[in-house]
Amino acid sequence: MTLHTAQLRARLGSGEHRELWAEVEAAAAHTGRPLGVTEHMLGLMDWSSLEGCPIRRQLLPLHSELEPDHPLCRHDPLGEACGQVVPGLVRRYPDRALLLSTSRCPVYCAFCTRSWAVGPRREAGTRQRWELALGALAADRSILDVTVSGGDVWRLAAGDLGWLVQRLLELPGIERIRLATRGLVADPAHLERGPLLDTLATLASRARERGVRLALHVHLNHPRELGREAQGAAASLVHAGLTLRSQTVLLRGVNDEPQALLALVKATVKAGISPYYVYNADMAPGAEHLRTSLAAAAELEKQLRGHTAGFDLPTFVCDVQGGGGKRQLHSWERYDREWGLAVFRSPVVDPERLFLHADPLRDLAPDVQRGWLEYDSRLARIESALRSVHCPPSAG
Ligand SMILES: *Cc1c(COP(=O)(O)O)cnc(C)c1O
Ligand code: SF4
């Protein structure tokens, strides 16, 4: 059950948290991002010290903590809207596609990269709409891997989710299906409250019969999200035959300390979930205060690696701006640390193109920050970074 603005206001708008709530409403008015939190996530918040609470930070941003958007920040950082082959089906890679099944989520995250498509006021998914995507998948045999995301599959009626995945299973070329959700940690009780667990168990056994690998990809960012209830839900899903993998967004003040990240990885493995990706946060509007630099992410990766089995450690990636896809964090062609500007290649997506990523301005020198804010000087710096990759200075 998701509490939206009106219900949250009724809960927090008077009494001891009213000043904090005023900050939350001011931030929402400023960023235009939707508010939505489950009872379960509210229960995970640290109510005696909400300001520093890592769960609150992800879901109820405060006006006072916002930072101005980076000049390269985009409403649709990954270029997904333009990457749709039909409405709701994004194609970036040769063999896989992303199906946007619904615009609804159990919680709305302050850093969501898909704020262009997600929110309680947008169109919910319908079978009629999914037919477009299913038709495109049936027509293109090169796609053998579908990620069903949204929004969040936890918000689909179990019958609709069953119908959609069954249709995907019936496509002859499909080899892998992933269902992306934050619901497992945001509303774990939902799994056994209705028919969802039975639906997923049935789908898992049908997938196995057909030789299709079906997995649930769980978005989780803090060890507290893996409490008793979420662990129980994960165990039920593993028992039902699903593979569970995790996806984590690196967030300042949430999980950007080596100890916090290590604790998260350990809790993830213990819950039967394989750590898959740690994403550098995307350059989405209203999320600047939560972003970390590539250098900080690379350092965290360095601190983490070696602590436990390599197969239990996530890969750190940066989903580069403009649709280059996920790139291994350290694989930049060039990283101008002074300006916090990285250039990536993505040969599979487009061998000719270069893709940019920029660090948050806060850690850069004051004159560099001013440079970023001036059109001519930032353009000159970007051009020089691109040129240095295209035409590297000859050795000697
Ligand atoms: C993340 C993503 C995928 C899956 O990529 P993997 O690296 O295989 O996890 C597929 N399509 C799109 C558009 C994506 O963003
Ligand atoms: S649950 Fe996922 S899709 Fe929904 S708001 Fe959070 S990050 Fe975005």
Side-chain angles (χ1 to χ4, degrees), residues 80 90 92-93 96-98 147 178 276-277 279 319 326:
E80 291 179 328
V90 180
R92 168 139 315 131
Y93 301 111
R96 46 213 197 282
L98 171 68
T147 297
R178 332 173 193 184
Y276 179 38
Y277 279 149
Y279 293 85
D319 215 337
K326 299 169 190 71

Side-chain angles (χ1 to χ4, degrees), residues 41-298:
M41 281 297 220
L42 283 175
L44 296 182
M45 289 183 193
D46 182 355
W47 288 87
S48 60
S49 152
L50 270 180
E51 231 173 290
C53 171
I55 309 297
R56 194 278 309 151
R57 240 175 116 71
Q58 297 179 62
L59 302 175
L60 297 174
L62 308 179
H63 191 262
S64 55
E65 64 192 358
L66 297 182
E67 292 173 14
D69 289 336
H70 191 284
L72 295 190
C73 160
R74 295 288 174 270
H75 191 50
D76 174 16
L78 308 182
E80 291 179 328
C82 306
Q84 294 178 100
V85 283
V86 294
L89 192 73
V90 180
R91 178 81 181 273
R92 168 139 315 131
Y93 301 111
D95 70 340
R96 46 213 197 282
L98 171 68
L99 197 160
L100 305 177
S101 65
T102 174
S103 58
R104 305 292 152 82
C105 297
V107 292
Y108 292 99
C109 308
F111 48 87
C112 181
T113 194
R114 214 164 282 145
S115 57
W116 65 275
V118 155
R121 289 177 205 279
R122 296 179 191 273
E123 189 198 2
T126 59
R127 294 187 188 190
Q128 199 181 2
R129 199 177 147 92
W130 301 335
E131 289 285 5
L132 292 172
L134 290 165
L137 290 168
D140 186 344
R141 293 295 189 82
S142 60
I143 300 175
L144 44 87
D145 177 321
V146 180
T147 297
V148 183
S149 184
D152 193 316
V153 296
W154 224 248
R155 288 298 302 267
L156 299 179
D160 286 340
L161 178 64
W163 180 89
L164 178 59
V165 176
Q166 179 60 35
R167 288 288 301 271
L168 290 172
L169 285 171
E170 284 162 12
L171 293 172
I174 296 294
E175 296 178 8
R176 305 183 286 262
I177 299 172
R178 332 173 193 184
L179 311 176
T181 185
R182 189 139 171 64
L184 180 82
V185 297
D187 188 11
H190 177 61
L191 185 67
E192 302 193 44
R193 210 187 281 132
L196 183 59
L197 180 57
D198 288 342
T199 302
L200 288 170
T202 306
L203 292 171
S205 79
R206 287 197 191 140
R208 222 176 4 257
E209 281 160 21
R210 295 187 73 95
V212 174
R213 292 150 71 196
L214 178 66
L216 202 75
H217 279 214
V218 186
H219 170 185
L220 45 82
N221 301 323
H222 192 273
R224 206 183 295 165
E225 293 169 27
L226 281 170
R228 194 172 39 79
E229 299 87 345
Q231 285 179 37
S236 302
L237 289 167
V238 170
H239 185 73
L242 280 111
T243 298
L244 304 185
R245 301 191 190 98
S246 77
Q247 309 200 157
T248 291
V249 183
L250 201 55
L251 298 167
R252 182 165 160 261
V254 174
N255 54 23
D256 65 335
E257 296 289 334
Q259 287 315 315
L261 208 53
L262 183 61
L264 176 64
V265 167
K266 289 190 169 169
T268 305
V269 172
K270 197 158 169 251
I273 306 171
S274 295
Y276 179 38
Y277 279 149
V278 170
Y279 293 85
N280 203 65
D282 292 331
M283 303 184 67
E288 198 64 12
H289 64 293
L290 292 166
R291 295 206 303 127
T292 55
S293 67
L294 280 184

